[in-house]
Amino acid sequence: MFQNVKYDFTGKRVLVVGGSRGIGKGVVEAFLKAGAEVTYFSRSSGEIPNTRFLKVDLESEEEIEEALKESGEVDILVNVAGINFTHKIEDISAEEWSSVLDVNLKSFFLISKHVVRGMKERRYGKIVNVSSIAGRHRSPVSGVHYVGSKAGIIGFSKQLAFEVAPFGINVNVLSPSQTKTDMLMESMTAEELKNLEEKIPLQRLAEVDDQVGPILFLASDASSYITGSIIDVNGGQI
């Protein structure tokens, strides 16, 4: 759990998409500790007390729309959901391609589209979209669909930031490197992880808290003049 929260989000309504595990779960817990009212979407519950959990299949536009109606107004949106496959291009089916793009990019569009309406009316909002070092560079293991979707998040966010800035809405991107989550451990072998660590200037993989802190910063008023930016949290890799 994030231990040194320095922000006060009392009274803020936060929606975390992909909040049941990994970075997303760390974000949910940190916002709770900072006094926010937190709702999170996921396919399965992370069993996080004092939150509102809505089960959502992010490949289903219908389920997303229903959950957004139920979740109510949002002051801060963190899109962190993602799925990953390591297949080479010749082994990627059209169905798998669509699945990755639906979860990793299309869901960001659908949820942001809905949430921005209320933010415009209140002339306030914070959106943090989580991409990846893969979207800024490349990946040693992930497929082209994953890397393409993460690069897409960056372009989507920069254009959205430009579009909604006149309404007092900040849109920024966190671009994390490999972080100690279940997804990472499932996609790389122990030997691959060790080899990766040796190539990182800070000589270690990121912890979840290393990513949570910058997300809270981007969601806070401390970053009120930052929008359309990409924050690289990668231990100095790029």
Side-chain angles (χ1 to χ4, degrees):
M1 180 181 291
F2 189 69
Q3 298 295 327
N4 299 305
V5 175
K6 299 177 181 177
Y7 304 107
D8 183 1
F9 290 99
T10 302
K12 298 298 185 185
R13 296 158 296 190
V14 178
L15 173 59
V16 180
V17 182
S20 65
R21 65 179 192 163
I23 295 172
K25 187 173 184 179
V27 169
V28 170
E29 292 172 339
F31 273 118
L32 278 174
K33 190 174 180 181
E37 176 186 322
V38 184
T39 298
Y40 70 97
F41 294 175
S42 183
R43 284 181 175 172
S44 59
S45 172
E47 299 181 352
I48 308 171
N50 303 314
T51 60
R52 187 180 188 189
F53 163 64
L54 296 176
K55 183 177 181 180
V56 184
D57 179 355
L58 294 176
E59 293 183 58
S60 169
E61 186 172 349
E62 182 179 355
E63 287 194 25
I64 289 173
E65 289 178 351
E66 288 301 315
L68 287 168
K69 290 176 184 177
E70 190 175 343
S71 62
E73 292 185 340
V74 175
D75 299 307
I76 298 167
L77 168 64
V78 180
N79 284 307
V80 66
I83 58 175
N84 185 23
F85 295 101
T86 61
H87 302 142
K88 301 301 182 185
I89 189 168
E90 60 269 27
D91 298 319
I92 297 173
S93 66
E95 181 181 11
E96 184 175 290
W97 172 275
S98 295
S99 181
V100 171
L101 270 291
D102 282 351
V103 173
N104 293 9
L105 184 57
K106 185 178 178 181
S107 72
F108 284 39
F109 153 68
L110 292 171
I111 293 165
S112 298
K113 176 183 177 180
H114 177 91
V115 167
V116 157
R117 292 190 180 105
M119 289 180 172
K120 281 185 173 182
E121 291 175 1
R122 296 186 299 278
R123 301 192 72 82
Y124 176 86
K126 300 280 190 175
I127 299 176
V128 182
N129 291 324
V130 177
S131 177
S132 168
I133 188 174
R136 292 275 278 164
H137 186 45
R138 56 177 168 73
S139 169
V141 293
S142 298
V144 294
H145 40 4
Y146 177 82
V147 176
S149 69
K150 292 299 184 177
I153 289 169
I154 293 171
F156 166 77
S157 300
K158 290 180 77 68
Q159 183 63 27
L160 179 60
F162 174 75
E163 185 176 317
V164 301
F167 299 91
I169 303 169
N170 300 74
V171 183
N172 290 292
V173 178
L174 187 85
S175 183
S177 63
Q178 300 83 359
T179 303
K180 291 182 181 178
T181 64
D182 292 340
M183 181 187 290
L184 178 71
M185 300 308 173
E186 292 165 3
S187 65
M188 299 183 75
T189 66
E191 184 178 356
E192 287 172 334
L193 290 170
K194 182 180 178 181
N195 290 338
L196 176 60
E197 278 191 318
E198 292 174 353
K199 296 175 183 177
I200 298 172
L202 286 183
Q203 294 289 292
R204 66 178 180 87
L205 295 171
E207 301 288 344
V208 168
D209 282 357
D210 291 321
Q211 311 298 347
V212 171
I215 290 173
L216 263 66
F217 166 70
L218 291 173
S220 76
D221 290 336
S223 62
S224 61
Y225 203 63
I226 300 175
T227 196
S229 294
I230 305 161
I231 305 298
D232 292 307
V233 187
N234 58 38
Q237 294 182 68
I238 60 170

